[in-house]
Amino acid sequence: MYPYHVQCVQGLTENDYGPRLNFCQWFMNELERMPTFSEIILFTDEAAFDRDGVTNFHNTHEWMETNPHAIVQQKHQQQFSCSVWGGIINNSLVGPHFFENRLNDEMYVEFLRNRVRNRLDVLLEDVPLNIRLNMWFMHDGAPVHFSLIARQELKRKFGRQWIGRGGPVR
């Protein structure tokens, strides 16, 4: 017998498979039309961090001759959190951009509208102009992205060239 680690993946529902298949078919059609299509998509994501963090107890060991009664402090009463946004387009990393708290729809829209320091347009300055002019913006279906004000701003900023839940390409 050999030890194996369980891999955590996002849970899917029956309703997820149809849209995923449709997206893959659309994407393959775009690649047939323009083989370099994947080079003009800004793939984005965010991650939230808080004081408790993530502790992997499987790889946490104290090797001692006697039990050291080691502890890990968690569930602190005084909390803080932040969110980090980043993107990849062609061979370029875009970002990171740090949000002081957990990301909400208003913060996301202000970031898209370029009203915050290190805003999206500033982060894209190193991306060649010909890519920025033809760029597609892709994000996942997080509630922050699906809010009405976020979808309105994406439509205003990117027209039909954005990919995400509730958008022209899903």
Side-chain angles (χ1 to χ4, degrees):
M1 299 184 104
Y2 300 94
Y4 293 96
H5 296 282
V6 174
Q7 181 178 357
C8 295
V9 297
Q10 183 169 350
L12 299 174
T13 67
E14 286 295 318
N15 296 335
D16 293 325
Y17 294 101
R20 285 172 176 251
L21 180 61
N22 291 340
F23 172 78
C24 290
Q25 290 169 338
W26 171 83
F27 188 76
M28 295 304 292
N29 288 338
E30 291 298 316
L31 284 175
E32 284 180 19
R33 189 179 62 77
M34 183 172 70
T36 59
F37 181 66
S38 62
E39 296 173 9
I40 61 170
I41 299 175
L42 175 60
F43 296 92
T44 72
D45 205 358
E46 307 88 28
F49 299 91
D50 60 30
R51 183 174 182 176
D52 288 328
V54 176
T55 304
N56 181 351
F57 287 104
H58 182 77
N59 293 323
T60 304
H61 303 286
E62 295 286 330
W63 297 93
M64 304 287 208
E65 290 183 19
T66 60
N67 186 350
H69 300 287
I71 64 169
V72 174
Q73 292 185 5
Q74 290 185 290
K75 310 297 181 202
H76 298 275
Q77 290 181 355
Q78 296 172 334
Q79 288 291 325
F80 64 84
S81 64
C82 72
S83 297
V84 182
W85 177 95
I88 299 174
I89 187 165
N90 197 7
N91 290 322
S92 300
L93 292 176
V94 179
H97 176 75
F98 295 91
F99 297 92
E100 287 188 26
N101 296 301
R102 286 195 180 267
L103 187 62
N104 63 37
D105 55 350
E106 292 173 8
M107 294 163 62
Y108 189 58
V109 169
E110 291 300 306
F111 171 69
L112 293 171
R113 286 183 181 154
N114 304 309
R115 293 189 178 153
V116 295
R117 194 172 64 82
N118 288 334
R119 60 194 191 261
L120 182 58
D121 284 352
V122 171
L123 296 174
L124 289 169
E125 283 180 348
D126 292 336
V127 175
L129 183 60
N130 64 321
I131 292 177
R132 278 188 284 158
L133 292 174
N134 297 300
M135 181 178 78
W136 284 70
F137 185 89
M138 181 176 187
H139 61 197
D140 58 26
V144 167
H145 304 156
F146 187 63
S147 71
L148 180 59
I149 60 171
R151 286 181 283 143
Q152 289 171 338
E153 184 59 25
L154 288 162
K155 182 178 180 180
R156 186 194 69 73
K157 189 169 186 74
F158 297 105
R160 297 194 52 77
Q161 289 189 209
W162 66 278
I163 303 165
R165 187 166 62 123
V169 179
R170 300 172 200 176

